[in-house]
Amino acid sequence: MTSALKHDELSRAHAAQAGPEQAKAARYLDCLAGITSQLLAAPDPWSLIPDIVSCVQEVTAASRCYLFECRRTEDGLWHTGQRFQALGQTSAEPEGGLALVGRDEHIADCQRWIELLSTGHEIVGRVTDLPEPEQLLLKAFQAQWLAVMPLIVDGRWVGCLGLEASQEQERDGALEVALLRAVANTVSATLGRVVADTTTRQVNALLAGILRSSKDFVLIATDLKFRVLLYNNVAEAVFGYTEAEATGRSLDELDILESATGDISEDIVAAVFEEDGYNTTVDVRDPRGDYHTLEINVTGMQDEHGTLTGYLLIAHDITEKLRVERRSMRSERMESVGLLAGGIAHDFNNILMGILGYASLIKDSLGPEHEAARMVEIIEQSGERAAALTGELLAYARGGKYQSVILRLDKQTQELLNIIRTNLPKGVDVRFDLAPDLPHVLADPVQMQQVIMNICLNAGDAIREKQQQLGDPGFCGRIKISTQHYGLDLSQLVHYEVEDEVLPGQFVVLGIEDDGIGMTEQTRRQIFEPFFTTKFAGRGLGLAAVDGIVRNHGGFISVESTPGVGTRFLIHLPAYLAAVDDEDETPTLPKAQGTETVLLIDDEEVVRQLALLTLANLGYEVLLAKDGREALNVLDEHRGEINLVISDLLMPGLSGNELITRLRDAAAGIPLMVISGYDKQTAQSITKEMAEGFLRKPYTPEALSRAVRTVLDEAAAKDE
């Protein structure tokens, strides 16, 4: 038993490479596999009980693990029989022992436990959640968490298998409970053979029935040629074969032993003979097309003479656990990239302020007829494009949507057609399949342009790579752009693994499909991770930004791909189903003048000087401060003179909500206008809506003049 229950070197290596939860599951699978294989072949199962209890205690690091029999005497009272107990380093064995686990003692004090366990119920949870008398009984053992499983044989309660921890589990103890339940079921079946004196065939049938009913593990028993002898219901759900279909067929024929590295049957045989066990992780696809990641342990089954008779495969489905871990890691990576993007965008916005602002002033001084006016306009247009990209960085950093408008995805895609074609390999056939009467979406057109362009450019790269691979000058490739409109309910969102992030409803779906090189399943799962790229000179940020933009708009992207065939992206955005009116054009307004005194606070010299020049030329008296502390001093020196305070939102020292709060206290009654690279909604959430006005960076002199005049006029109207 000792050799069968120990952790082999391969298990330890596998566990060292896996995360803590995966490593724990691997150890538990080792333990369960050893216990099951030995009990199946043991002529005297009772002799193995001490090792079983010790194994469970050791692998779970519990403070105490115990197994005891119980019997009912003629007077109707319950008494304990044989007891086996394994103690951890943190256990505290009381001098008198606990009645429930004592030897040949009356256990009437635990009547509630008797009622629960004798009817097949489990007792699992924190000791503090138990009734007070039971807490007092367990206090002597310093137990804070426990799990007790009934041993039921032929419908009769014959004992319990229990596990206690002196420290509360970090999680809910689900793996410990699953292991204890499986061991208790196996022990119950084996004790049934002893109690009822059944034949070996009957015992194996009973044990097989218990294994088949397991809800926690995939269980498959085979002969030496890997032909299926036992196949439980969890295996049916994962692999798609019924027990009748699988029984008698080899695992190779069923493709169950296929992993990313090929057939692993030879590795299993070698490991079982040389190392007493085999562990691996494989990805399988169920009949619904969903992928499952299984952590598999394979051990040998022996007869009473120690001869190897077959293999027992026990697998734990870790798909959901890995999914949660991936989401957590993705969230952490996105947060890190977001912080980087936000810092870059903030500094770049200040640079653009100087470019756009002074270009506007130069254009005004030259006049529209000057020969250099057109060149200045080009500078302005280039600066505005850079400002739009900066906005995208800030949107990525804050998870926000800027300047969302009601738009049609199909029209915007068609408008980008010429730009898309110029960036694709020559000869690529771009086709459209657009649904009529497509609903609108509420989205930022610049962000949507980035999404469409990025995916189309990736499609072009995939086609170019396939051209190089084929070496066929006749292959030009095809990109199909389509639109659809349909509803998705919660079950469908679960299929896409976005049920925690996206609400059910109607969606406008933009499809971009190519017949390029395609990608493997492993690559498909990683394409939206920041810094992941398959290109030699790629940065790995394009699709990560695209995914972030779509998620920030309440949507998601699904991807289908087959190596050598092509890839299809489906961009799902919530449909805007309200009535849509024609958009009014915003007229160009002249610069607004004034004579009031304005305090401008910004840490960038170029921004302060540009604002000073703009406002002074319009008649305003302008005071400047480079940070929050200097601004408070200026307010104190010019108390009663200042009519408006304009402050950047993010600056060294006092910044954000703290700065706005201090300014509001120091300048009570003076209107406050915030300038920021973030959108108005985000800025208001930071300042808690304590500012009367808002202007987004980078701004033009015209925009600054209008915003200043608006805030001053509204403040004056309130005072009347």
Side-chain angles (χ1 to χ4, degrees):
M1 183 67 181
T2 301
S3 63
L5 297 181
K6 71 178 183 178
H7 301 154
D8 56 39
E9 294 179 3
L10 184 60
S11 298
R12 290 193 294 270
H14 175 74
Q17 296 173 355
E21 286 297 305
Q22 290 175 261
K24 182 193 291 187
R27 295 195 304 272
Y28 290 5
L29 288 174
D30 283 343
C31 176
L32 178 59
I35 290 172
T36 303
S37 62
Q38 290 296 305
L39 285 176
L40 280 172
D44 180 16
W46 191 256
S47 64
L48 303 177
I49 298 301
D51 281 345
I52 291 174
V53 173
S54 178
C55 176
V56 173
Q57 183 277 320
E58 180 183 358
V59 77
T60 60
S63 60
R64 196 164 72 108
C65 180
Y66 50 85
L67 184 148
F68 71 91
E69 290 181 285
C70 65
R71 54 188 172 82
R72 201 167 195 172
T73 57
E74 295 180 357
D75 55 8
L77 299 178
W78 287 97
H79 290 258
T80 58
Q82 294 194 64
R83 184 189 72 174
F84 297 92
Q85 179 174 258
L87 301 176
Q89 295 180 354
T90 59
S91 67
E93 177 72 359
E95 294 180 1
L98 182 64
L100 182 61
V101 294
R103 180 178 178 83
D104 199 21
E105 292 179 7
H106 175 46
I107 55 176
D109 291 338
C110 297
Q111 186 60 37
R112 191 180 74 91
W113 282 34
I114 293 173
E115 292 175 356
L116 289 173
L117 295 170
S118 63
T119 54
H121 291 83
E122 303 170 353
I123 300 174
V124 177
R126 294 175 297 182
V127 172
T128 54
D129 294 334
L130 297 175
E132 187 172 353
E134 296 174 12
Q135 293 186 37
L136 294 175
L137 287 173
L138 291 164
K139 184 178 180 181
F141 293 93
Q142 298 183 6
Q144 296 189 36
W145 180 92
L146 82 162
V148 183
M149 302 291 160
L151 302 178
I152 306 294
V153 176
D154 291 337
R156 295 182 301 110
W157 179 44
V158 299
C160 300
L161 179 64
L163 192 69
E164 295 174 3
S166 59
Q167 296 181 353
E168 290 191 27
Q169 304 294 304
E170 294 181 3
R171 304 198 179 195
D172 59 1
L175 283 176
E176 287 77 10
V177 171
L179 172 65
L180 200 67
R181 182 185 299 127
V183 172
N185 287 342
T186 305
V187 170
S188 295
T190 308
L191 292 179
R193 182 179 63 182
V194 177
V195 173
D197 194 24
T198 60
T199 64
T200 301
R201 184 185 300 274
Q202 290 173 318
V203 172
N204 288 339
L206 177 61
L207 180 58
I210 293 174
L211 295 179
R212 288 191 184 96
S213 65
S214 171
K215 298 180 180 179
D216 302 300
F217 298 98
V218 171
L219 294 159
I220 302 175
T222 74
D223 62 14
L224 291 176
K225 294 185 178 180
F226 292 101
R227 289 180 297 225
V228 174
L229 304 175
L230 172 68
Y231 186 89
N232 76 341
N233 57 346
V234 182
E236 289 184 4
V238 171
F239 297 110
Y241 302 102
T242 65
E243 182 177 10
E245 293 171 335
T247 301
R249 299 171 66 183
S250 70
L251 297 186
D252 180 56
E253 182 183 353
L254 300 173
D255 289 333
I256 289 179
L257 292 183
E258 285 291 326
S259 71
T261 57
D263 192 330
I264 59 176
S265 57
E266 293 184 2
D267 296 334
I268 291 174
V269 173
V272 169
F273 272 105
E274 298 175 10
E275 303 175 11
D276 199 32
Y278 180 80
N279 294 276
T280 189
T281 301
V282 299
D283 292 327
V284 299
R285 195 169 187 175
D286 68 17
R288 299 183 302 274
D290 298 329
Y291 281 92
H292 296 262
T293 300
L294 301 180
E295 195 166 47
I296 295 178
N297 171 277
V298 184
T299 188
M301 297 189 298
Q302 301 175 355
D303 60 18
E304 61 272 20
H305 305 294
T307 303
L308 185 68
T309 60
Y311 303 98
L312 180 66
L313 183 151
I314 302 179
H316 180 52
D317 192 337
I318 60 174
T319 308
E320 184 60 30
K321 181 165 64 67
L322 293 178
R323 184 182 301 166
V324 172
E325 291 176 356
R326 285 195 298 267
R327 285 180 180 174
S328 177
M329 293 174 61
R330 179 183 179 278
S331 177
E332 292 174 0
R333 285 194 296 265
M334 289 297 189
E335 182 178 356
S336 300
V337 175
L339 290 173
L340 174 63
I344 294 173
H346 177 71
D347 293 339
F348 197 51
N349 255 337
N350 289 326
I351 297 172
L352 288 173
M353 280 292 305
I355 297 174
L356 288 172
Y358 283 106
S360 178
L361 294 176
I362 292 172
K363 185 174 69 172
D364 289 346
S365 64
L366 293 177
E369 303 302 326
H370 196 281
E371 60 181 6
R374 176 55 185 161
M375 289 182 277
V376 177
E377 287 181 359
I378 293 174
I379 294 175
E380 284 188 311
Q381 292 172 0
S382 299
E384 288 169 356
R385 289 181 59 191
L389 292 176
T390 306
E392 301 306 327
L393 285 175
L394 284 169
Y396 188 84
R398 291 289 299 182
K401 304 190 288 286
Y402 301 148
Q403 299 179 347
S404 292
V405 299
I406 301 170
L407 56 84
R408 287 275 298 266
L409 276 183
D410 49 359
K411 290 184 178 180
Q412 187 175 41
T413 305
Q414 288 176 308
E415 291 171 358
L416 289 172
L417 180 59
N418 290 334
I419 301 177
I420 293 173
R421 287 189 187 278
T422 59
N423 289 277
L424 296 177
K426 291 183 179 180
V428 172
D429 181 17
V430 180
R431 301 178 184 178
F432 286 89
D433 181 13
L434 306 179
D437 302 324
L438 191 71
H440 294 75
V441 296
L442 187 63
D444 186 320
V446 177
Q447 291 188 5
M448 289 302 105
Q449 176 179 323
Q450 180 180 348
V451 169
I452 297 167
M453 287 290 297
N454 205 303
I455 295 179
C456 286
L457 292 179
N458 275 338
D461 290 340
I463 291 173
R464 186 179 292 109
E465 187 175 348
K466 188 172 182 178
Q467 289 174 337
Q468 296 172 353
Q469 185 184 75
L470 294 176
D472 180 7
F475 175 76
C476 295
R478 172 184 56 81
I479 294 177
K480 178 183 177 182
I481 300 175
S482 61
T483 56
Q484 304 174 68
H485 166 227
Y486 49 73
L488 293 175
D489 58 24
L490 182 60
S491 64
Q492 292 168 309
L493 294 178
V494 170
H495 171 75
Y496 288 114
E497 301 181 9
V498 295
E499 69 278 7
D500 295 333
E501 307 167 37
V502 180
L503 295 175
Q506 296 294 312
F507 288 84
V508 173
V509 184
L510 174 65
I512 301 176
E513 182 179 355
D514 67 73
D515 59 352
I517 194 67
M519 65 184 93
T520 64
E521 175 61 21
Q522 181 66 27
T523 300
R524 186 194 69 81
R525 292 185 179 187
Q526 294 181 269
I527 56 174
F528 295 124
E529 296 180 3
F531 306 114
F532 175 80
T533 180
T534 59
K535 302 174 184 177
F536 177 74
R539 295 168 296 172
L541 291 175
L543 287 178
V546 164
D547 184 51
I549 290 171
V550 174
R551 289 177 183 271
N552 291 341
H553 282 77
F556 67 96
I557 304 175
S558 62
V559 183
E560 303 169 358
S561 186
T562 303
V565 177
T567 302
R568 184 188 187 198
F569 284 80
L570 292 177
I571 304 158
H572 299 73
L573 292 172
Y576 184 81
L577 302 177
V580 178
D581 298 327
D582 293 335
E583 298 180 5
D584 297 327
E585 293 186 2
T586 302
T588 302
L589 300 176
K591 294 179 182 178
Q593 299 180 338
T595 58
E596 292 89 344
T597 299
V598 177
L599 170 60
L600 178 84
I601 313 165
D602 200 295
D603 59 319
E604 286 291 331
E605 176 70 19
V606 66
V607 177
R608 295 197 302 272
Q609 294 303 318
L610 175 63
L612 172 62
L613 185 58
T614 299
L615 296 177
N617 286 341
L618 295 173
Y620 294 98
E621 182 73 24
V622 183
L623 303 173
L624 300 177
K626 65 178 180 296
D627 56 40
R629 292 185 174 83
E630 184 176 337
L632 295 174
N633 293 333
V634 173
L635 278 169
D636 188 57
E637 293 174 6
H638 296 269
R639 189 172 300 277
E641 302 174 18
I642 298 174
N643 304 105
L644 173 65
V645 176
I646 304 173
S647 176
D648 189 9
L649 189 57
L650 299 179
M651 291 185 296
L654 294 176
S655 62
N657 185 49
E658 182 184 4
L659 172 61
I660 301 304
T661 302
R662 294 282 294 274
L663 289 174
R664 176 56 70 213
D665 294 339
I670 302 176
L672 175 63
M673 185 171 79
V674 170
I675 53 178
S676 173
Y678 295 126
D679 66 339
K680 185 175 182 179
Q681 182 180 1
T682 304
Q684 286 178 337
S685 68
I686 296 175
T687 63
K688 302 187 184 305
E689 300 187 357
M690 290 188 291
E692 284 77 11
F694 171 78
L695 181 62
R696 185 181 177 190
K697 285 185 176 182
Y699 52 80
T700 63
E702 292 84 355
L704 176 62
S705 69
R706 290 197 299 271
V708 168
R709 189 69 262 160
T710 298
V711 174
L712 287 170
D713 290 345
E714 289 178 352
K718 291 180 180 179
D719 294 337
E720 293 179 357

PDB file of all heavy atoms in Angstrom, residues 408 410 433-439 482-485:
ATOM      1  N   ARG A 408     -24.102  53.695 -37.925  1.00  0.00           N
ATOM      2  CA  ARG A 408     -24.336  52.426 -38.628  1.00  0.00           C
ATOM      3  C   ARG A 408     -22.990  51.798 -38.947  1.00  0.00           C
ATOM      4  O   ARG A 408     -22.160  52.391 -39.651  1.00  0.00           O
ATOM      5  CB  ARG A 408     -25.113  52.679 -39.922  1.00  0.00           C
ATOM      6  CG  ARG A 408     -26.575  53.037 -39.730  1.00  0.00           C
ATOM      7  CD  ARG A 408     -27.442  51.792 -39.603  1.00  0.00           C
ATOM      8  NE  ARG A 408     -27.401  50.962 -40.785  1.00  0.00           N
ATOM      9  CZ  ARG A 408     -28.284  51.037 -41.786  1.00  0.00           C
ATOM     10  NH1 ARG A 408     -29.273  51.913 -41.728  1.00  0.00           N
ATOM     11  NH2 ARG A 408     -28.184  50.242 -42.828  1.00  0.00           N
ATOM     12  N   ASP A 410     -22.322  49.259 -40.858  1.00  0.00           N
ATOM     13  CA  ASP A 410     -22.129  48.918 -42.269  1.00  0.00           C
ATOM     14  C   ASP A 410     -21.680  50.137 -43.071  1.00  0.00           C
ATOM     15  O   ASP A 410     -20.791  50.048 -43.916  1.00  0.00           O
ATOM     16  CB  ASP A 410     -23.411  48.320 -42.849  1.00  0.00           C
ATOM     17  CG  ASP A 410     -24.640  49.160 -42.536  1.00  0.00           C
ATOM     18  OD1 ASP A 410     -24.511  50.191 -41.849  1.00  0.00           O
ATOM     19  OD2 ASP A 410     -25.744  48.774 -42.981  1.00  0.00           O
ATOM     20  N   ASP A 433     -21.291  41.578 -47.523  1.00  0.00           N
ATOM     21  CA  ASP A 433     -22.572  40.900 -47.384  1.00  0.00           C
ATOM     22  C   ASP A 433     -23.302  41.581 -46.232  1.00  0.00           C
ATOM     23  O   ASP A 433     -23.275  41.115 -45.090  1.00  0.00           O
ATOM     24  CB  ASP A 433     -22.364  39.401 -47.107  1.00  0.00           C
ATOM     25  CG  ASP A 433     -23.691  38.650 -46.990  1.00  0.00           C
ATOM     26  OD1 ASP A 433     -24.730  39.232 -47.371  1.00  0.00           O
ATOM     27  OD2 ASP A 433     -23.688  37.502 -46.508  1.00  0.00           O
ATOM     28  N   LEU A 434     -23.956  42.704 -46.528  1.00  0.00           N
ATOM     29  CA  LEU A 434     -24.525  43.563 -45.503  1.00  0.00           C
ATOM     30  C   LEU A 434     -26.021  43.334 -45.372  1.00  0.00           C
ATOM     31  O   LEU A 434     -26.752  43.330 -46.362  1.00  0.00           O
ATOM     32  CB  LEU A 434     -24.244  45.031 -45.834  1.00  0.00           C
ATOM     33  CG  LEU A 434     -22.759  45.373 -46.076  1.00  0.00           C
ATOM     34  CD1 LEU A 434     -22.607  46.847 -46.424  1.00  0.00           C
ATOM     35  CD2 LEU A 434     -21.922  45.013 -44.855  1.00  0.00           C
ATOM     36  N   ALA A 435     -26.456  43.165 -44.135  1.00  0.00           N
ATOM     37  CA  ALA A 435     -27.873  42.940 -43.879  1.00  0.00           C
ATOM     38  C   ALA A 435     -28.662  44.233 -44.078  1.00  0.00           C
ATOM     39  O   ALA A 435     -28.201  45.314 -43.687  1.00  0.00           O
ATOM     40  CB  ALA A 435     -28.065  42.427 -42.456  1.00  0.00           C
ATOM     41  N   PRO A 436     -29.839  44.147 -44.677  1.00  0.00           N
ATOM     42  CA  PRO A 436     -30.665  45.354 -44.834  1.00  0.00           C
ATOM     43  C   PRO A 436     -31.270  45.772 -43.496  1.00  0.00           C
ATOM     44  O   PRO A 436     -31.457  44.953 -42.598  1.00  0.00           O
ATOM     45  CB  PRO A 436     -31.746  44.899 -45.819  1.00  0.00           C
ATOM     46  CG  PRO A 436     -31.850  43.416 -45.600  1.00  0.00           C
ATOM     47  CD  PRO A 436     -30.460  42.957 -45.264  1.00  0.00           C
ATOM     48  N   ASP A 437     -31.576  47.069 -43.371  1.00  0.00           N
ATOM     49  CA  ASP A 437     -32.242  47.604 -42.172  1.00  0.00           C
ATOM     50  C   ASP A 437     -31.488  47.234 -40.900  1.00  0.00           C
ATOM     51  O   ASP A 437     -32.079  46.813 -39.891  1.00  0.00           O
ATOM     52  CB  ASP A 437     -33.681  47.084 -42.081  1.00  0.00           C
ATOM     53  CG  ASP A 437     -34.510  47.458 -43.313  1.00  0.00           C
ATOM     54  OD1 ASP A 437     -34.300  48.569 -43.835  1.00  0.00           O
ATOM     55  OD2 ASP A 437     -35.323  46.632 -43.745  1.00  0.00           O
ATOM     56  N   LEU A 438     -30.173  47.378 -40.952  1.00  0.00           N
ATOM     57  CA  LEU A 438     -29.359  47.059 -39.784  1.00  0.00           C
ATOM     58  C   LEU A 438     -29.571  48.115 -38.699  1.00  0.00           C
ATOM     59  O   LEU A 438     -29.526  49.310 -38.975  1.00  0.00           O
ATOM     60  CB  LEU A 438     -27.876  47.015 -40.169  1.00  0.00           C
ATOM     61  CG  LEU A 438     -26.914  46.437 -39.122  1.00  0.00           C
ATOM     62  CD1 LEU A 438     -27.123  44.940 -39.007  1.00  0.00           C
ATOM     63  CD2 LEU A 438     -25.463  46.745 -39.517  1.00  0.00           C
ATOM     64  N   PRO A 439     -29.807  47.699 -37.443  1.00  0.00           N
ATOM     65  CA  PRO A 439     -29.962  48.683 -36.359  1.00  0.00           C
ATOM     66  C   PRO A 439     -28.679  49.482 -36.150  1.00  0.00           C
ATOM     67  O   PRO A 439     -27.584  49.075 -36.536  1.00  0.00           O
ATOM     68  CB  PRO A 439     -30.273  47.821 -35.133  1.00  0.00           C
ATOM     69  CG  PRO A 439     -30.759  46.524 -35.675  1.00  0.00           C
ATOM     70  CD  PRO A 439     -30.032  46.326 -36.962  1.00  0.00           C
ATOM     71  N   SER A 482     -19.236  41.216 -43.387  1.00  0.00           N
ATOM     72  CA  SER A 482     -20.681  41.005 -43.328  1.00  0.00           C
ATOM     73  C   SER A 482     -21.260  41.648 -42.074  1.00  0.00           C
ATOM     74  O   SER A 482     -20.540  41.937 -41.110  1.00  0.00           O
ATOM     75  CB  SER A 482     -21.000  39.503 -43.330  1.00  0.00           C
ATOM     76  OG  SER A 482     -20.430  38.869 -42.193  1.00  0.00           O
ATOM     77  N   THR A 483     -22.575  41.876 -42.094  1.00  0.00           N
ATOM     78  CA  THR A 483     -23.273  42.375 -40.913  1.00  0.00           C
ATOM     79  C   THR A 483     -24.509  41.523 -40.676  1.00  0.00           C
ATOM     80  O   THR A 483     -25.131  41.016 -41.613  1.00  0.00           O
ATOM     81  CB  THR A 483     -23.692  43.845 -41.082  1.00  0.00           C
ATOM     82  OG1 THR A 483     -24.494  43.984 -42.256  1.00  0.00           O
ATOM     83  CG2 THR A 483     -22.476  44.753 -41.176  1.00  0.00           C
ATOM     84  N   GLN A 484     -24.841  41.359 -39.381  1.00  0.00           N
ATOM     85  CA  GLN A 484     -26.021  40.609 -38.983  1.00  0.00           C
ATOM     86  C   GLN A 484     -26.653  41.301 -37.780  1.00  0.00           C
ATOM     87  O   GLN A 484     -26.057  42.192 -37.163  1.00  0.00           O
ATOM     88  CB  GLN A 484     -25.660  39.176 -38.583  1.00  0.00           C
ATOM     89  CG  GLN A 484     -24.910  38.374 -39.624  1.00  0.00           C
ATOM     90  CD  GLN A 484     -24.490  37.026 -39.056  1.00  0.00           C
ATOM     91  OE1 GLN A 484     -25.318  36.160 -38.772  1.00  0.00           O
ATOM     92  NE2 GLN A 484     -23.189  36.851 -38.850  1.00  0.00           N
ATOM     93  N   HIS A 485     -27.845  40.859 -37.443  1.00  0.00           N
ATOM     94  CA  HIS A 485     -28.539  41.382 -36.264  1.00  0.00           C
ATOM     95  C   HIS A 485     -29.321  40.231 -35.644  1.00  0.00           C
ATOM     96  O   HIS A 485     -30.177  39.632 -36.298  1.00  0.00           O
ATOM     97  CB  HIS A 485     -29.478  42.534 -36.656  1.00  0.00           C
ATOM     98  CG  HIS A 485     -30.452  42.894 -35.567  1.00  0.00           C
ATOM     99  ND1 HIS A 485     -31.800  43.075 -35.798  1.00  0.00           N
ATOM    100  CD2 HIS A 485     -30.262  43.070 -34.244  1.00  0.00           C
ATOM    101  CE1 HIS A 485     -32.401  43.362 -34.659  1.00  0.00           C
ATOM    102  NE2 HIS A 485     -31.491  43.376 -33.700  1.00  0.00           N
TER     103      HIS A 485
END
